[in-house]
Amino acid sequence: MTDAMRALVIEGAGSARVQAVDVPVPAAGQVVVDVHRVGICGTDAELFTGELPYFAQGKSRFPLRPGHEWCGVVSAVGAGVDEAWYGARVTGDTMLGCGSCRRCRAGNGHVCADRHELGITGWPGALADKVLVPAASLHALPDTVDDRAGALVEPGGNAYRAVAAAQAGPGRRVLVCGPGTIGLLAVAFASVAGAEVHVLALDSRRRELAGKLGARRYWMATDPPRDTYDAVIDCTGDEDVPSAALALVDPGGRMVCIGLSPRPSHIDTRDLTLGDMTAVGILGASAGLAPAIAHYGDGRVAPGDLAAVVVGLDQAAAALAGHVDAEPGTKIHIDPRL
């Protein structure tokens, strides 16, 4: 009889359940990881509802197995993989490029035209007892990064890249729009980089958490800031925010877009040009994973407060459907061992 394990399968829009699936066997260059923690994020929720734009583009299809914010321990290695990985605590990249195209050779595998996205497009994700991944995608976790922080490396990598694109540093003022997980982590990374960080939100529910992570001011949409900033980072999924955010960027400043809206967003390129501004889009955490781990490992950024609720795999479907309560601004983590 084939060995089986448990995995969450989204069978169609609004329908998900834990099923028995075959235990993965690593091929050459691959490893199998025993999953310890997996974060539920907005992308997973949109996979569950079928609202993720990837479905319309043919990149995602049902049934699928989600989970791309994860950490665990390597339990099997394939041919050609360094045996030192066996038993290592790891996390890994979501963006799995082909490895041979021009973009991959240039170090831009996260935008490879033939990439897989773990748990999103064609590669089974980590909401399972075990996950199969390429060894080349692994990042080792130091002992100072516990499982809770380990499963926050992927959103942390996204946030770090956004903050780097904003050129956050001493003497610079940065506005973060949208204090979700990535937005709050962007606050933390920008703050430790030396920037003065403000937050713009729809309500006040995340004010305390934003302040704990380094925000100097917390504005709400009903009373937005009247001044401008060296950089604005849009972490929302609101199609109206980019045009409004552009008006808050200083001439010569930068607007960074990492949020994805379900409908097209619009900005007036005349404002962009006449303000001599730079607009940057951020896709994926790849280049930010190692810096995020370093910041977590030495304590510069402490992300643990962003994952206050941990439940077992049997509650993963309920979590995707929004039926597991969590404090505003915090993330639900799944531990398949529970």
Side-chain angles (χ1 to χ4, degrees):
M1 178 179 293
T2 302
D3 290 339
M5 68 172 188
R6 301 170 304 147
L8 184 74
V9 180
I10 303 177
E11 301 166 306
S15 175
R17 64 187 178 95
V18 175
Q19 298 182 16
V21 302
D22 290 344
V23 171
V25 177
Q30 298 178 337
V31 303
V32 173
V33 178
D34 290 348
V35 179
H36 285 192
R37 286 285 182 96
V38 190
I40 299 290
C41 82
T43 298
D44 297 312
E46 290 184 350
L47 286 169
F48 176 71
T49 62
E51 295 174 344
L52 192 73
Y54 276 6
F55 286 108
Q57 298 168 3
K59 296 178 181 178
S60 294
R61 297 177 178 85
F62 296 122
L64 61 84
R65 286 163 47 185
H68 61 279
E69 302 178 2
W70 60 274
C71 71
V73 174
V74 176
S75 58
V77 299
V81 176
D82 189 340
E83 290 288 339
W85 280 115
Y86 184 81
R89 293 181 61 249
V90 295
T91 187
D93 201 343
T94 298
M95 303 301 210
L96 309 177
C98 72
S100 58
C101 71
R102 178 177 59 84
R103 295 174 191 174
C104 286
R105 294 197 307 272
N108 295 319
H110 65 295
V111 289
C112 169
D114 295 320
R115 73 181 181 273
H116 291 291
E117 296 185 25
L118 183 87
I120 301 170
T121 63
W123 192 293
L127 275 169
D129 292 318
K130 299 175 183 286
V131 64
L132 175 75
V133 295
S137 72
L138 293 177
H139 288 260
L141 295 176
D143 292 340
T144 50
V145 177
D146 63 13
D147 286 343
R148 182 166 56 171
L152 284 163
V153 168
E154 197 276 343
N158 278 283
Y160 180 88
R161 288 194 65 215
V163 167
Q167 298 181 343
R172 289 179 65 81
R173 299 174 71 249
V174 176
L175 177 69
V176 175
C177 301
T181 301
I182 290 177
L184 289 169
L185 286 168
V187 168
F189 285 117
S191 178
V192 300
E196 178 184 335
V197 188
H198 293 193
V199 169
L200 178 60
L202 290 175
D203 55 52
S204 63
R205 293 182 300 164
R206 297 167 186 175
R207 183 191 302 272
E208 182 177 352
L209 191 51
K212 187 173 183 179
L213 290 168
R216 300 266 194 95
R217 292 288 304 269
Y218 190 98
W219 304 89
M220 287 188 289
T222 53
D223 183 26
R226 295 168 180 81
D227 203 354
T228 54
Y229 296 82
D230 297 295
V232 176
I233 304 174
D234 173 21
C235 301
T236 74
D238 187 331
E239 67 269 22
D240 294 325
V241 169
S243 61
L246 193 63
L248 295 172
V249 179
D250 273 341
R254 302 174 73 84
M255 186 175 79
V256 180
C257 298
I258 192 169
L260 284 173
S261 64
R263 290 170 296 277
S265 301
H266 300 279
I267 62 171
D268 191 332
T269 57
R270 294 171 298 182
D271 292 336
L272 191 70
T273 302
L274 293 172
D276 197 29
M277 301 171 187
T278 301
V280 183
I282 299 295
L283 175 68
S286 301
L289 294 172
I293 292 169
H295 278 72
Y296 293 176
D298 64 17
R300 281 174 289 172
V301 172
D305 287 341
L306 297 179
V309 177
V310 183
V311 297
L313 188 60
D314 59 335
Q315 294 190 60
L320 284 177
H323 298 151
V324 176
D325 291 334
E327 291 296 317
T330 63
K331 182 179 286 290
I332 297 168
H333 272 182
I334 307 297
D335 185 340
R337 300 168 299 172
L338 296 179

